[in-house]
Amino acid sequence: MKKIVLIRHGQSLWNLENKFTGWTDVDLSDNGLEEARKAGKILAQNGYCFDLAYTSVLKRSIRTLWLVLHEMDLMWIPVFKCWKLNERHYGALQGLNKQETIEKYGEEQVHLWRRSVDVRPPALTPDDERYEADDPKYKSLKKGEFPLTENLSDTEKRVVSYWHEKIAPAILQGQKVIISAHGNTLRALIKYLDQIPGDGIASLNIPTGTPLVYELNDNLVPIRHYYLGIEGPIPQENIPRHIIHSPK
Ligand SMILES: O=C(O)[C@@H](CO)OP(=O)(O)O
């Protein structure tokens, strides 16, 4: 049996301000910093240890990982950063307030943009200042690879390709792995691992800064999964489809 830990970054400044974030590189809020430290403590208290870590190139997930590894005294382990683990690109919605967007376009449209698998938010244009293809952190992207907008399926393709290229081979070699990423990146990975069809993933919301353990069989098929450190009943919207129970 293999065990991996997924963690969505702690609360970011734009989570706090209720803004669409996507690839905008905002940092953690004070609460998010605290969530990340708490996650590291909980992992250490539960006897977790990692050989390798994976994260995006966005500072909210990198800093979350740093704080987790700091609390676990594991800052020395190799950390691999890749844009393929970035949050879903939110196109022209990036920077807009979610509530104001609902007031302008209606609840139903905004829900489709946020949670549908195949609807893409309005695209950025390459002359938009939010189009950051020239940022050095994206110099490894091939021409045309930098997204102007993405739906969850687009995100799933890049996340799953990285899973097969890098993460799965490491797990199969026996490495203990933590992945620090983003709400929609982790939803996409869970959709793939748990083979959740179509819009079955629409209602899943991953809580910030909360370790989610996946136990996998030798073929990397999920056996069960559970959160660490949630006190009281787990809200239904936080529970991936196959969840069985939380550890004692
Ligand atoms: O703004 C974003 O990038 C994401 C995650 O915070 O938001 P949502 O939950 O709407 O997908």
Side-chain angles (χ1 to χ4, degrees):
M1 194 265 288
K2 323 270 188 201
K3 233 183 212 191
I4 61 169
V5 172
L6 311 178
I7 184 164
R8 180 182 175 194
H9 60 81
Q11 183 195 55
S12 74
L13 291 165
W14 279 17
N15 292 146
L16 184 61
E17 291 175 29
N18 200 25
K19 285 181 180 173
F20 289 100
T21 315
W23 284 33
T24 316
D25 198 6
V26 295
D27 214 329
L28 298 178
S29 67
D30 287 344
N31 182 38
L33 295 168
E34 202 37 52
E35 285 177 325
R37 288 187 199 104
K38 187 176 155 210
K41 288 191 181 94
I42 287 165
L43 284 161
Q45 282 158 10
N46 282 275
Y48 282 77
C49 187
F50 302 110
D51 302 309
L52 299 177
Y54 296 90
T55 189
S56 71
V57 295
L58 295 171
K59 57 172 76 89
R60 58 194 187 274
S61 69
I62 297 170
R63 198 178 302 287
T64 297
L65 182 64
W66 284 357
L67 291 167
V68 166
L69 296 181
H70 173 75
E71 292 297 333
M72 300 179 76
D73 199 16
L74 284 178
M75 292 183 79
W76 59 274
I77 68 168
V79 172
F80 299 94
K81 303 187 186 92
C82 183
W83 66 272
K84 290 186 178 176
L85 294 178
N86 272 17
E87 179 56 289
R88 171 163 80 114
H89 197 287
Y90 248 122
L93 297 183
Q94 290 186 177
L96 304 187
N97 180 281
K98 291 179 184 173
Q99 188 51 40
E100 286 167 16
T101 309
I102 290 174
E103 281 153 25
K104 189 159 172 196
Y105 296 98
E107 188 109 31
E108 201 180 328
Q109 178 60 66
V110 173
H111 183 75
L112 281 175
W113 282 333
R114 290 185 67 190
R115 291 294 171 259
S116 137
V117 169
D118 48 17
V119 174
R120 294 190 181 96
L124 284 182
T125 51
D127 60 349
D128 193 300
E129 60 176 17
R130 296 169 292 174
Y131 181 66
E132 295 174 298
D134 290 336
D135 189 310
K137 60 167 98 67
Y138 298 119
K139 64 173 182 264
S140 69
L141 272 77
K142 297 188 198 80
K143 202 170 162 41
E145 242 177 354
F146 193 98
L148 294 165
T149 182
E150 284 187 315
N151 59 29
L152 194 71
S153 296
D154 300 326
T155 308
E156 184 181 345
K157 281 189 202 103
R158 59 175 164 84
V159 171
V160 169
S161 88
Y162 191 66
W163 169 263
H164 287 297
E165 271 164 44
K166 303 285 183 196
I167 306 178
I171 300 169
L172 289 169
Q173 280 167 16
Q175 309 276 16
K176 294 191 287 303
V177 158
I178 179 168
I179 305 171
S180 173
H182 302 263
N184 293 299
T185 319
L186 295 177
R187 291 172 70 241
L189 182 60
I190 287 170
K191 181 176 186 323
Y192 172 74
L193 291 177
D194 279 335
Q195 298 186 14
I196 299 175
D199 275 353
I201 196 81
S203 59
L204 176 65
N205 249 329
I206 311 279
T208 50
T210 310
L212 172 56
V213 182
Y214 260 71
E215 293 180 2
L216 311 171
N217 72 13
D218 289 341
N219 297 317
L220 306 191
V221 174
I223 302 166
R224 62 176 194 145
H225 40 233
Y226 43 84
Y227 288 101
L228 299 178
I230 294 190
E231 281 150 31
I234 301 176
Q236 282 304 308
E237 62 161 24
N238 295 161
I239 303 178
R241 194 181 53 148
H242 298 307
I243 200 158
I244 295 176
H245 61 76
S246 295
K248 302 269 174 304

